[in-house]
Amino acid sequence: MGLWLSKMKEAVPEGIRTPGELARFELSHALPGVPVTVEEDASQGDGYRIEPLTDGGLRLTGGSTGVLYGAYRAILDRFCGEELAAPVESTPKYALRMIDCWDNPDGSIERGYAGRSLFFHDGKLTPDPVRIRELGRLLASAGLNVLCINNVNVHFPAQLLLEDDLPSLAALAEMFRPFGVRLMLSVDFSQPMRSGIPTADPLDPAVRNWWKKTATRVWAAIPDLAGFLVKADSEGRPGPFTYGRNHAEGANMLAEAVAPFGGVIVWRCFVYNCRQDWRDTATDRPKAAWEHYAFLDGEFAENVILQVKHGPFDFQVREPLSPLLLGMKKTNLAMELQLAQEYTGHQIDLYTMIPMWKELYEELPADNIMSLAAVSNLGDDANYTGHPLAAVNLYTFGLLAWDPDIDPAAAVGRWVRLTYGLAPAEEQTLTELLLSSRRIYEKYTAPLGLGWMITPHDHYGPNPSGYEYDLWGTYHKANRNAVGIDRTAKGTDFLGQYPEELRKKYEDPETCPDLYLLFYHRLPYTFRMRDGRTLIQRIYDDHFEGLAETRTMAENLLALPFPEPDADVIRERMDRQLYNAREWCDIINTFFFRLSGIPDEKGRKIYD
Ligand code: GCV
């Protein structure tokens, strides 16, 4: 077993049925010679307590899944060289710690950068049990407990998972059961129409009945299915709007069908006009989610969770926290993060996310949400995440979902120590490189919160005006004098969706934090920033610095003694990152120089 479980030498055998059995197996093989007693107490759920005993052994108590999390905690602590001096107790902050795979039945993965699907091949759910057991172990050891295996864009034949292919889904659910991982399924809101019902109207009795019968059949096959995940009325997917119904009516209809079985409906809030005319300046895409959902606060059933992307756009390098996560106090919320590096370097460029996640928590009270979800960065590559160092995002996401107070340096440092047997100074170097990687990527790509200067559709590499005259509502409006969109009360008033304290923090360009400046404001290139630099100079400086820092990062990274095959992959990807960083730096600087005609004060090479 590789990744952060590199020291686990024994594969999980077939035949283990429960998390408790697995906990005992893992402890006996990973900590031979350490006497551990394991006591299960169902009332503790995912929680556990580990007590060091005077004979050098451990007493582990916990819920039926808690003992497994406790076992991994004890094992990984020992692997990190941390001896337990006093009892530790732990329960997760969030009950649902979810990974959402965007895998299609043909084996492709939407926004996948680590190979093909681990689950689907040629239209069928045909996972390799050996890899599923490895994956189960990875997820459980990171504290993750819900896995949605199919794309939220439910393309045919994914619908068959609720029909003829249900037995394969049930078999997969069984494979994951010993790991405490429950499956979730993305469903097609219009699926009743496949059975000859002429509508998918959520208030139509035949539709309601179809979902109830379907849920009964599905939960009979998979009694611990976590629920359904739904992308409705978004980017061409079907949904309640077709029938003049709102999203509470749509979600609650499904919620009623799954409630008798303890299922949840995770309903995504990624709804916006993706056919916008670029000439239309009245519509401002970041406002869309709030406009569709805020007025429905309190209207959703108890077993509905609204899953909100962390920012109001779509996983850009820098976006403010989505206002929905602050404004819907009477609704169950999940925050959706994206481990798949769609806009953040395709698992070619280094991009460690936990510093960004912690920034979100500076404005998000942890209790505002009841679940964390992340779009998967997994695939069938031998190392699971394409870039071996991208696995840090999967592991640290698990730690964050367990405890959002986690210290980013400690989380990344733990992953480094578990993954590679490096000397202490090298561990420190790698930890620091990983922690700095997001800021470096941010510097050489779209500046100061602007976003969207990326190659359309593929989303790798620069194309400053690629989306400027497109349909997706993602415009920067750079001209010869100024750039950005005014989102204050004088402009689109997106900022008006926030509580007053945050409005004040961002509304004045003189005091708005630099890194969000062009998210909220339209400013002339000659605008004087607080550090005395002009806006255009800051754009040039950031890009040159980002490129220089990537070069230094490459030197330091490639000097580390990674084992093969990781060393090879890291070298090859770093070459591509260096190329990408140079393209970004030169193209963005050239773009702004050609528009503004303002030269770099430091006389560096920008292309005329
Ligand atoms: C699964 C963005 C991505 C799409 C993704 C969508 C979503 O638009 O580019 O690939 O679709 O977000 O989150 O639903």
Side-chain angles (χ1 to χ4, degrees), residues 32-66:
V34 180
V36 188
T37 58
V38 180
E39 292 159 32
E40 288 180 48
D41 160 13
S43 69
Q44 290 188 47
D46 287 348
Y48 61 81
R49 180 172 198 276
I50 312 170
E51 189 186 335
L53 303 176
T54 45
D55 64 356
L58 298 171
R59 176 183 296 135
L60 168 61
T61 51
S64 48
T65 43

Side-chain angles (χ1 to χ4, degrees), residues 102 110-111 151-153 231 235 268 270 309 314 342-343 459:
W102 288 352
E110 184 155 347
R111 311 307 179 185
N151 192 353
V152 287
N153 293 322
K231 172 173 176 174
E235 299 184 329
R268 296 178 83 232
F270 186 53
K309 289 196 185 193
D314 186 14
E342 176 179 357
Y343 299 95
H459 299 162

Side-chain angles (χ1 to χ4, degrees), residues 257-398:
V258 304
F261 316 104
V264 294
I265 297 301
V266 179
W267 187 271
R268 296 178 83 232
C269 296
F270 186 53
V271 178
Y272 68 100
N273 176 9
C274 65
R275 312 292 303 163
Q276 188 175 333
D277 185 329
W278 60 270
R279 299 167 195 83
D280 162 15
T281 51
T283 307
D284 187 19
R285 172 165 158 186
K287 295 175 76 176
W290 179 275
E291 288 167 352
H292 285 110
Y293 293 96
F295 74 101
L296 294 172
D297 193 18
E299 301 288 313
F300 290 91
E302 265 177 28
N303 59 332
V304 172
I305 303 173
L306 293 191
Q307 186 161 298
V308 183
K309 289 196 185 193
H310 66 77
F313 261 129
D314 186 14
F315 301 133
Q316 299 301 289
V317 180
R318 182 165 298 272
E319 292 187 43
L321 185 71
S322 167
L324 273 189
L325 294 168
L326 298 171
M328 295 193 76
K329 293 282 166 54
K330 292 179 276 179
T331 303
N332 296 323
L333 296 173
M335 176 160 70
E336 183 177 299
L337 307 171
Q338 191 186 40
L339 309 180
Q341 289 177 229
E342 176 179 357
Y343 299 95
T344 54
H346 282 203
Q347 286 143 242
I348 298 166
D349 297 29
L350 273 190
Y351 190 96
T352 301
M353 300 180 176
I354 193 164
M356 179 185 96
W357 301 334
K358 292 296 289 188
E359 283 167 16
L360 298 169
Y361 272 100
E362 283 168 21
E363 292 181 353
L364 175 69
D367 287 324
N368 274 26
I369 59 176
M370 48 92 71
S371 164
L372 265 187
V375 178
S376 159
N377 58 356
L378 294 160
D380 73 353
D381 276 4
N383 64 23
Y384 288 92
T385 52
H387 195 313
L389 300 176
V392 70
N393 290 325
L394 180 63
Y395 182 66
T396 54
F397 169 69

